[in-house]
């Protein structure tokens, strides 16, 4: 059997020299190139070493690391979890506190209460103020071993703090009764409590070197330490800032109508200015400055046992990248109490606030349903009434 020849197409290579030249000179050329490359690299390395040696030999070096402490940044113990912090500003009207607020009423009262919600990713903070004259359900609360203050179907919100203090005689019970009231009426879980006293607020502002704020119009208030502020950019020291947030009556910036809701607006403006000042001084991005500020402020604060100095620093540090635009202030939506024109009740819109905070969603802008109503000055306890809205009030706070 004869095999068929297979035809293959050939590929022609063009050579610049005879094919057999590869056999005799290829390895030699490779060795020459390799030796040249090694020589170049070696020379270059030698030159680099020589330069490095000459530079290093001209340096005077010392070792300080083992003698200098590195700032320790505490770890956020609740990283990845949202937080609800109840902040209470106390109205201590005795001694120095009385001089600052302009009266001498005895006892401890909660002058300001805010829920501070910190998002789980630490990118967002919502602050919701609760008007002190809100009529809410006051649940029973403990005021000592075996001592309980009974529930009250309807009462002013700030009576929660007063009941705890009056019957328990301690911040522990004042704060506990307030937490019980907030949790019952909102359905939120309060993770931490912070109480700030008047003298402490002054110290905190002064520790920042004052706060820069834009006053929308001339402000005067004789009862608030004879407060006088001109419209425009101002740098407020601690005492002046306190007088502004405490002012209830006078002229300018809502003082003429004596509204507690307008007072919340002024308080939030001061808080926002405080945040802006802190950010401008890199307070949240400089661990040494932050530690110094927290240390200086500790005497101003009464906090729960699970919130120590390291925890405060760690939480603040975890917010170092937050944008000021992501710190928003709100007031609980309220309407006129149908049974008392000097008091207010929470609207249905308030429930939306609480539901959003529960699931760590941002609060949307406040509803447009709010309209002012005529204020009166015949409140039974001598305080000024809140502004009110014409929307039908909610009965959600009644058990």
């Amino acid at each position: 059997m004869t095999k068929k020849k297979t035809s293959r197409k050939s590929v022609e290579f063009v050579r610049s020299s005879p094919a057999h030249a590869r056999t005799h000179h290829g390895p030699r050329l490779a060795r020459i190139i390799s030796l040249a490359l090694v020589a170049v690299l070696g020379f270059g390395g030698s030159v680099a070493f020589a330069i490095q040696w000459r530079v290093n030999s001209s340096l005077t070096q010392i070792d300080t690391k083992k003698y200098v402490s590195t700032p320790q940044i505490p770890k956020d113990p609740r990283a990845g979890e949202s937080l609800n912090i109840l902040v209470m500003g106390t109205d201590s009207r005795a001694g120095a506190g009385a001089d600052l607020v302009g009266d001498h009423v005895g006892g401890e009262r909660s002058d300001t209460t805010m829920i501070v919600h910190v998002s789980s990713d630490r990118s967002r903070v919502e602050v919701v103020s609760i008007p002190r004259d809100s009529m809410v359900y006051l649940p029973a609360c403990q005021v000592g071993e075996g001592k309980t203050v009974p529930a009250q179907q309807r009462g002013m919100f700030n009576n929660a703090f007063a009941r705890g203090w009056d019957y328990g005689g301690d911040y522990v019970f004042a704060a506990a009764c307030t937490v019980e009231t907030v949790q019952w009426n909102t359905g939120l879980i309060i993770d931490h409590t912070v109480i700030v006293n008047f003298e402490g607020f002054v110290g905190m502002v002064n520790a920042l070197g004052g706060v820069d704020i834009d006053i929308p119009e001339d402000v005067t208030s004789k009862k608030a330490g004879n407060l006088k502020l001109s419209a425009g950019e101002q740098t407020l020291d601690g005492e002046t800032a306190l007088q502004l947030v405490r002012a209830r009556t006078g002229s300018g910036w809502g003082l003429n109508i004596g509204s507690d809701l307008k007072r919340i607006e002024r308080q939030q403006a001061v808080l926002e200015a405080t945040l802006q000042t802190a950010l401008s001084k890199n307070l949240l991005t400089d661990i040494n400055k932050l530690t110094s500020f927290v240390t200086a402020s500790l005497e101003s604060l009464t906090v729960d046992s699970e919130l120590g100095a390291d925890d405060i620093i760690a939480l603040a540090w975890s917010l170092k990248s937050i944008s000021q635009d992501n710190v928003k202030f709100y007031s609980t939506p309220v309407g006129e109490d149908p049974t008392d024109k000097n008091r207010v009740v929470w609207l249905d819109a308030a429930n939306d606030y609480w539901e959003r905070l529960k699931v760590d969603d941002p609060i949307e802008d406040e509803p447009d349903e709010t309209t002012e109503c005529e204020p009166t000055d015949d409140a039974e306890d001598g305080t000024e009434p809140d502004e009110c809205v014409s929307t039908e009030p909610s009965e959600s706070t009644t058990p």
Side-chain angles (χ1 to χ4, degrees):
M1 185 174 179
T2 306
K3 292 184 180 181
K4 292 183 179 181
K5 291 184 179 180
T6 304
S7 175
R8 296 182 180 179
K9 292 184 180 180
S10 61
V11 179
E12 187 178 70
F13 290 91
V14 179
R15 305 180 191 274
S16 59
S17 59
H20 62 268
R22 295 175 55 204
T23 303
H24 296 289
H25 300 292
R28 182 189 306 171
L29 181 60
R31 285 196 298 272
I32 292 172
I33 294 174
S34 299
L35 289 172
L37 182 60
V38 170
V40 170
L41 293 177
F43 176 76
S46 299
V47 171
F49 176 79
I51 293 173
Q52 183 182 17
W53 179 84
R54 290 185 63 185
V55 171
N56 286 341
S57 65
S58 64
L59 291 177
T60 302
Q61 294 179 313
I62 58 175
D63 183 8
T64 60
K65 288 186 178 180
K66 60 183 178 182
Y67 302 110
V68 178
S69 59
T70 302
Q72 297 298 313
I73 302 173
K75 292 183 179 180
D76 183 352
R78 297 286 298 273
E81 300 177 47
S82 62
L83 292 173
N84 293 315
I85 304 170
L86 191 66
V87 178
M88 294 156 277
T90 60
D91 190 355
S92 178
R93 304 188 176 189
D99 295 334
L100 290 171
V101 300
D103 58 39
H104 292 79
V105 179
E108 288 276 348
R109 296 295 182 264
S110 176
D111 198 58
T112 302
T113 304
M114 296 173 290
I115 299 172
V116 179
H117 177 83
V118 183
S119 67
S120 57
D121 61 3
R122 303 300 187 257
S123 68
R124 195 182 75 249
V125 174
E126 282 100 15
V127 182
V128 183
S129 293
I130 301 177
R132 69 192 201 107
D133 292 338
S134 301
M135 298 303 293
V136 297
Y137 174 70
L138 300 177
C141 62
Q142 297 183 45
V143 290
E145 294 296 330
K147 292 173 59 179
T148 302
V149 177
Q152 187 175 335
Q153 189 75 6
R154 275 170 53 88
M156 274 178 41
F157 173 77
N158 71 335
N159 281 348
F161 190 96
R163 294 200 311 163
W165 177 268
D166 291 344
Y167 290 97
D170 196 289
Y171 276 148
V172 171
F173 306 115
C177 287
T178 306
V179 169
E180 288 277 14
T181 300
V182 170
Q183 291 190 152
W184 199 98
N185 287 278
T186 66
L188 296 170
I189 295 175
I190 298 301
D191 301 292
H192 295 297
T193 56
V194 176
I195 300 174
V196 185
N197 60 44
F198 275 144
E199 294 87 344
F201 179 76
V202 171
M204 291 172 68
V205 171
N206 287 338
L208 285 174
V211 294
D212 301 323
I213 187 171
D214 186 11
I215 306 297
E217 56 185 326
D218 291 350
V219 171
T220 62
S221 178
K222 186 176 181 180
K223 290 185 177 181
N226 200 28
L227 174 67
K228 292 182 180 180
L229 292 173
S230 299
E233 294 288 340
Q234 304 276 344
T235 299
L236 307 183
D237 60 19
E239 185 170 341
T240 307
L242 176 62
Q243 290 170 339
L244 179 58
V245 300
R246 278 289 297 119
R248 295 178 184 277
T249 60
S251 64
W253 208 350
L255 287 169
N256 53 305
I257 61 175
S259 166
D260 192 51
L261 297 185
K262 280 294 185 182
R263 191 167 66 102
I264 287 176
E265 179 183 314
R266 294 189 295 273
Q267 289 173 343
Q268 292 185 345
V270 172
L271 288 177
E272 190 168 2
T274 302
L275 172 66
Q276 195 169 27
T277 301
L279 292 176
S280 70
K281 294 179 181 293
N282 298 321
L283 185 66
L284 296 183
T285 58
D286 187 317
I287 189 65
N288 290 323
K289 288 181 181 179
L290 179 60
T291 301
S292 297
F293 176 76
V294 171
T295 301
S297 304
L298 287 179
E299 293 182 1
S300 315
L301 307 176
T302 300
V303 301
D304 64 82
S305 59
E306 296 181 359
L307 191 63
D310 284 351
D311 300 306
I312 295 173
I313 294 170
L315 178 58
W317 184 255
S318 71
L319 294 167
K320 64 182 181 294
S321 299
I322 196 169
S323 164
Q324 186 177 345
D325 293 338
N326 285 338
V327 181
K328 296 187 177 180
F329 295 85
Y330 302 90
S331 182
T332 306
V334 296
E336 182 182 306
D337 181 359
T339 64
D340 185 346
K341 61 184 179 181
N342 299 318
R343 301 289 177 258
V344 296
V345 293
W346 296 357
L347 299 176
D348 286 331
N351 292 331
D352 182 60
Y353 281 24
W354 316 138
E355 291 303 317
R356 287 179 176 276
L357 295 186
K358 284 178 191 176
V359 297
D360 198 22
D361 279 346
I363 294 177
E364 293 182 343
D365 291 335
E366 293 188 33
D368 297 329
E369 58 191 1
T370 303
T371 58
E372 293 186 6
C373 61
E374 291 297 321
T376 61
D377 57 3
D378 56 352
E380 293 179 3
D381 67 347
T383 62
E384 296 73 24
D386 289 324
E387 287 181 300
C388 56
V389 297
S390 58
T391 310
E392 186 69 21
S394 168
E395 297 297 329
S396 61
T397 59
T398 302

